[in-house]
Each structure stands twice: as C-alpha cells, then as structure tokens.
Amino acid sequence: MRRLCKLWMLILLLLSMMTGCTQNRREPDRLAFDMGEGLDLTDDGKLEVSFQIAIPAGLSGGQDSGGGGTDKSFELTSATGINVSDAMRNMQKKLSRELFPGHREVVVIGQPLAEKGIGHLLDQFVRNPRSELRSKLFVVKDAQAKKILSKKSVFEPYMSIALKRQEDVLSLHYMYFRDFMADTFTEGVHPSAPAIALTADSKPYYYGIAVFNKTNGLKLAGFLDDQESVYTNWMTGRQSSFDYSLNIAGKEHDNISLYFTNLEYRVHTRIVNKQIKVDLYLTGSGTVAENNTNLNPAMRKELRLLENIINSKIQKEVQQLIKKVQQQYHSDIFRFGEALHYQHPRQWHKFKGRWDNYFSELQVSVKVKMKCKTPGQVTAPVELK
Amino acid sequence: MVLSKLKMEASNQPITKDIDQNKSDFKKAFEKCSDIVFREMNSHRKIRILLIYVDGMIDVELIESNLLKPILFEGQAQGFGAIGDITNMCERELYSGLQVKKLSDFDEIAEHILKGDLAILADGEGVACVAQVKKVPTRSIEESTSEPTLRGAKESFTEDIRTNTVLIRKKFATTKLKLEAIKIGKLTKTNVVVAYIEGIVDPNLLDEVLARINRIEMDGIFESGYIEESIEDTHFSPFPQMLNTERPDVVSAEIMEGKVAILTDGTPYVLVVPMTFWSGLQAPDDYYERFLYVFLNRTIRYFFSLFSVLLPSFYIALTNFHQELVPSKLMISIAALRERAPFPTLIEVLMMEVMFEGLREAGIRLPKTIGPLVSVVGALVIGEAAVRAGIISSPIVIVVSAAGIASFIIPRYRFGIPLRILRFPLILLSGLFGLFGLVAGIVAILIHLVQLRPFGMPYLSPVAPIAGQWLKDWWIRWPYKITKNADQRRKGGNA
C-alpha cells in the first residue's frame, strides 16, 4: 500500500505540473495547415505574405468520408502587414481555423522583395516557437512568390511539395531555412538559396542559385544559372551528382554525356607573404551515358584523353564562375572565408573585417580530377555503316 | 470466506473394536450422505467385515476380483503362516498391487473414504484397512486450448492432479524432482503439489513459497486462482506475479530454471513462481524452433506489446498536440478523414476501446456456436457502419483494432490483460496533456515495474537489474551451444 501511495503521489505531482498543457489541445480539423509561405513586396512597398493552406477535404478525392465536397487541394490567400507576424494575424482574421505553420514545407521569396533585402524579416522564422525551421527556402526569379505557389503541380497536391521533390530529383541537398540563417551568421560566408523561375508558359522550373549579400540588409546580389549552380553546390558540398554534356573538338555532332557521382571537394588555404592563396580540388567519378564521338572509352588511352578534355573544361568553367562571383556579386558563397577561418584561426582576425574586399582579390587555383570509371553498357562507339 | 463459522475440529478419536459400534459411528457421521455405501458381509472364516466407500468413486471391478473374492471365498494364501486378522491379511497379501494403509483414527478414515478410498473394517479389530481403489471420472489428456503452439508437445494438464504429476514426472528421470504434497482448504482438503528440482531451486524461494501456501486459511480451493491471490505479493498491480500454464513442457522447463510450480487438484492451470515481465512475452515454441526464427518472432512480439500499450495514446498525443511531428501528407489525410467526425479524438478512442473490450468479453462468454456472430457484427457494425455514418473517423478504427490485435499476439493471454488495462490511463493522460502526459504515464509504469519483486525476484530481471548470463535468453535466444552457462549452472547445481 505504501508503494501505491508513492505512485499516486508521483502521478499527482506530475499532473500538477501539466496543468498548462490542456489548452494546447487542437483537433486536426480545427487547424488550417500552412503548406508553404510566400513573401512578396506589393506595388506600394508593403510586405505581403501568401499562405498556401491545405484543404484536407479536397485531398481525400473520391472517398465518402470527405464531407466538404470541394476538389481544390489548397487555397492561396494573402495578407499584408508591417512584418510577418502582423501579416499572419491579419491572415487569421480570414480563416475559421487556426493557422498552423508546423507543416510549412517551403518559404518562397519573390525577387522584388529579395532585391529590397530580407534581413529584417528573418527574425520571426527563428523566434516564433510555432515556426518550422525545416522549411526549405527558395527565391523566385523575375516573379512574385505567390505566382509560384498558386500554380498546380503535375503530380503533387501542392506546389510546395513539388518544389521540394524537384530538389530531390536533382540530387541537391535541401537548403533549409535554418541553413540559410546559419550562413547569415557565419563569418566569411554569404548566404545563397535555390532559385526558381517560370518558363514562358509560366511553369516553374529550377533555375539555379540566388546569391545574397549580407553586408547591407541581406539583399539579392544576383543569380547563377544551372551549370554555375552545379559547380557552386559541388564546391560547398550541397550536391552529390550531376549530368554533364560537352562537345569535343568543336564539331557539332561530336558530343559526349557523362553522369558524375561521388563528387568531392577540398579547399586548401595558404597565406604566403600576407597573400591568401586558395587551392580548390574537385574530384568525382563518372559513367559515360551517351557517346557520339569516335573515342572508345573502353580503351585506356582514349579514356585518359577524354578525362583530360573534361577536366580542363570544368576547370576553365569553375575559374570563370569564381571570377564572376568575385567581380559581380562580391559575395563569398563558396565558403572560402570559412575555410580560411578554420585552417588559420590565428590569422583570421586580420582578414575578417574586410573579407569581402579580400574575397574579390582572392587567387584561386582550381584542380579538377574526374575519373571515368565505367564506359557504360557498351564499349566501342556505335558505328553507323 | 463466510463459511468459516463452520467449526472443523479434529477429534482424533480412534475407532472401536466393535464393528457395530463403528458402523453406527460412521453412519452418524455420514448422515444424509446418500452416496456413501456401507456393505456388510462375512468372510469365509465367518468374520464380519464392513466396506465403506463413496459410490461412483471407486473401481468396482477391481474390488470384486481382487478384494471380495479372496476374502469371501479363498481366504489366506498358502505359505504365509498364520495371519491373525483380516486387515493384516488385506495389507500384506491380497492387495499387493494396491496402495493400502492401516489407520485407526476415525476422522482420518472418514477423510480417506471421501477422497475415494475403500475402508475395510473387520469385527474385533481396532484398525481399518484403507485401500486406494479410486476411479473417478476424469477428462482425458487433450490438446492445450489456451496456449496452442505450432511445434512441441500437444498434451496439456487435466483436472486430476495425479495425471498432472505424472505428466511432469515422466519428463524427468531424476530423484531430484520433488513433488511435495500439501492439503489446503478446510472443507475441500484440496491436494496441492509443489514441484521443484532440488539443487537448482533457491532454498529461500522454496521456503517462502511453502510458508505462504501453508499460511492460506480458506474453506475451499477450487482453482489455482485461489492460491494465486492468496500468495501474491500485491493485489494492486495490474501485472500478474506468477505464471499460469496448462502445458507440462512449460512447467518442466521453468522448474529446470530453478522456479517452483504449484499444482492444484481440480484445475489444469499450474502456477509457476516467481514470474518475470519477459516470461510473460515468451512462448513455448521459442525453445523448439530454430533460433533465428525465434529471434525475429520475439522482436515482433516485443514490438507489438509496446504497440498494444502505446499506440492509441500515441496517436492522440500526436494528432491533438504535436501535429508538426506527423509527416505532412499523413497529417493532411488524417485531418481530411476527421472532417466529419463529431466527437473529439479522445472520446472517439475511448468509445472504440470500450467497444473493443466489450466485443472481446462477448466473444469469450458466448456459446461456441454463436461465437462467430460477434466477430461479424463487430466488424460490420463498428468497422464499417460507424465510419460510414460519420460517428467515428476511420483512423481510430485502424488504431484501436491494431492495438487490440497487438495485445493478442502475446503468447500468455493473461499477460495481455495488464497491457490492455494500462492503455486506458495512458489514453486519458495523453488526451489531456499530450506527449508529456504520455511520457509521465510511461515513467510511472516503469517505476512500478522496477519496484515489483514477486517472491524477491525483480520483475524486469534480467534487464533491470542486469543479470549477464540470463540476457542470452532475453531477446535473442542464442543457440543452446552458445548458452552453455545455463547448462553449467544446472550441472553445478546437481553435483
């Protein structure tokens, strides 16, 4: 009996501590699930937040349990406000269910707002306990965010899930909101985010990378296109494979396509005579996917030749990319500053104040070493007779 | 028991030498007992003898051929010299194949008669010869109904304790197997046999068991449950503190591990003490099937028993408090299925749980012929109609029935009961306080489990506290070649 008393004492003690929890009880049918948020700048310069709200009854399709009788899977509604929380509050006035951001898959930022700077908007996303830090961040090129979110995806019920799946298919690592925040607060790094754009017939597609510069209110500095973003992701460890096609010897039909996997990178920084030198090593292994040249990848010699062509081409392109970012955007999205910080922690303080200047002047030598491991399922090129 | 007002006094009166006096004494004692037979006859030497027995409990044929014929017609066999009295003759000569006792105490003789013995009284002799010629109608040995296995012995215990001891004894060819007999119950004088293996059993445990059994003061013992409730450590734990089984192979294996078995006359269910949490989750086939298969089976079983306790409460906590923990698509689906549901999730789950328990109980009580009806009605009415009518949302049906099925995966049916009982407080806790309440409930259960020490054995052993060698049979039952320890322990014990 004494034990029993102890047990009850314990239960009562725990119960008394839990009295606050009951108010948190929310039935799922009292919630408006926010699947994605879009941040935009209205024409008169106000912040407009668009919420992609799931309509559960529309999702269940032909089942008799869904009572709503609607076939829409989501509703996109927008509200303006002085900041995100204010917009959310204004949004709540339009909804009969409690806005629930716990399942927010993506946060999409329109280009006008990104150009104006998003530094003053980020606080809510990390501070609000109801916020979801695992939302993925996207920037829309040449459009408002709500334009993307209002589109219907071919496969997915919500465009927000489609954006996330798109990154999966391209074997990109997710750019979570928290990663973006971490980059913002890391010395010697400027944040970047995946960018999407709309095709001529207004279908969203993966464009590349949006480069931000955090020195002045986290403004959009520019975009990098598809191929450039592959290299950038490779150099920062965000991508593990990519497809690569190139012309050999300048002839129109002499082209070859490879599928590269096991992408590795290594950044080595040196300080020589107060000059910073960066050595960038890029490695990976490839499989020949299509071969329209007369090279036979099964022959060791010809394979080496092929590898050399590819290495020098990639090397040249990466050099160009680094130069472009150094001179146009002045934003170290390649994390060279971070590497220097880690590899020379004692000297870092000398550079960190003016790292953006140093970055623009940085001498980067790129060494690319790709290996063609497999020639594909056939050896010699297909010869037409 | 209320019956205790009946005074059961042992008189210790010896019987007299006068057969008439004895007869009237017994007649008086057995007054209004219509099933007691008194048969008087003369032996071939013209000595009056009196047979007393319970009609229907003795083997009449055996008496006719082995007993009455020699006494009435043949007399004493040649070569034995003079035997003075009938009882001696009976004991030493005639019934060599039977168990025969000479008794002079009146009450003792009466008790033997009532237990199915035949009492022979002869004129001029102050002792009675009591012969065991019991032949009571019993059920034959049948297949176990409550603990079926795919592999292993099919036999199960019966209501007759002698049959049951035989079922154990025949498995052991050792004198170390002890079957201590105790009689308990003032009115029933039920035979209880305590079985153990000397040298393996912990003497302290044995003493404790015997002491607790001897301390029982009840008028009647009709099932091992009476004993279980009288000797268990605490009545207020939902967990059973001793195993009950109707399988001789389980009992034999358990006593070989140093446990004590308590057999009760009149019931096929044998108690094994002490019990641990894990033995409630082990099946007899665990030791008969190959080890890899057993390992996977046990994994499933352990997993499902957790499932059985936690699933409904976990579901409530997630959908009502922590929607962000559920994958987005699933959460939207659940929300979609709940669109029409009129009741809160907590009420829905409680309703379905109570309904499920009702169906289960109805399934046990109904006569076998209309048993299937319950499952049909249950599946149709509750599974289909309630969802279609929009009274219950369909995830609840899935959750409750999955948890219900999971509780039946437990090989010892009675061990599933505490898991089902504990489901209810956990449902309430998580319905009111979310995951925090659920975790608090689990902690309370764990505290209770580590405190529980039936007969001094920690309930969670060998896991808490860790007992190295026995861990080899906790989750993975390692092949016998690998678990030599247990064998060595056995050998050490026997030496």
Side-chain angles (χ1 to χ4, degrees), chain B residues 277-296:
Chain B
F277 184 83
W278 311 107
S279 59
L281 295 173
Q282 286 166 3
D285 343 22
D286 283 5
Y287 299 91
Y288 307 148
E289 300 280 4
R290 298 184 61 238
F291 109 97
L292 212 57
Y293 174 63
V294 170
F295 163 59
L296 293 173

Side-chain angles (χ1 to χ4, degrees), chain B residues 428-445:
Chain B
L428 281 175
L429 276 175
S430 62
L432 295 175
F433 308 111
L435 272 188
F436 189 76
L438 180 59
V439 169
I442 293 171
V443 168
I445 292 172

Side-chain angles (χ1 to χ4, degrees), chain B residues 31-46:
Chain B
E31 205 180 353
K32 294 180 186 167
C33 296
S34 59
D35 56 339
I36 307 286
V37 178
F38 292 84
R39 245 180 100 181
E40 215 177 313
M41 57 194 77
N42 289 331
S43 79
H44 81 296
R45 283 203 291 171
K46 306 287 180 253

Side-chain angles (χ1 to χ4, degrees), chain B residues 306-319:
Chain B
L306 261 184
F307 216 62
S308 142
V309 193
L310 298 179
L311 188 66
S313 37
F314 196 62
Y315 174 81
I316 294 179
L318 283 192
T319 55

Side-chain angles (χ1 to χ4, degrees), chain A residues 1 3-4 7 10-11 14-15 18 21-22 24-29 31 33 35 54 56-57 59-60 63-65 67 97 100 102-103 105 134 156 158 165, chain B residues 236 319-321 323-324 326-329 331-341 344-346 388 429 431-433 436-437 440 444 447-448 451-453:
Chain A
M1 272 315 277
R3 271 193 205 162
L4 199 76
L7 194 74
L10 182 95
I11 290 174
L14 287 169
L15 283 180
M18 293 188 291
C21 303
T22 358
N24 291 340
R25 203 173 71 84
R26 295 162 301 196
E27 291 290 339
D29 51 338
L31 294 176
F33 292 98
M35 305 304 290
L59 187 71
S60 58
Q63 280 178 31
D64 50 359
S65 48
R97 295 183 180 183
F100 183 76
H103 283 287
E105 289 284 347
R134 286 176 307 161
E156 317 298 340
Y158 315 107
R165 295 271 159 88
Chain B
F236 297 101
T319 55
N320 276 0
F321 288 89
Q323 291 91 348
E324 61 274 6
V326 186
S328 300
K329 272 192 167 178
M331 194 61 237
I332 303 286
S333 303
I334 291 174
L337 292 168
R338 263 201 63 82
E339 284 294 313
R340 272 172 68 194
T345 314
L346 176 64
R388 269 177 189 277
L429 276 175
L432 295 175
F433 308 111
F436 189 76
I447 290 174
H448 170 67
Q451 275 189 341
L452 202 57
R453 292 172 151 264

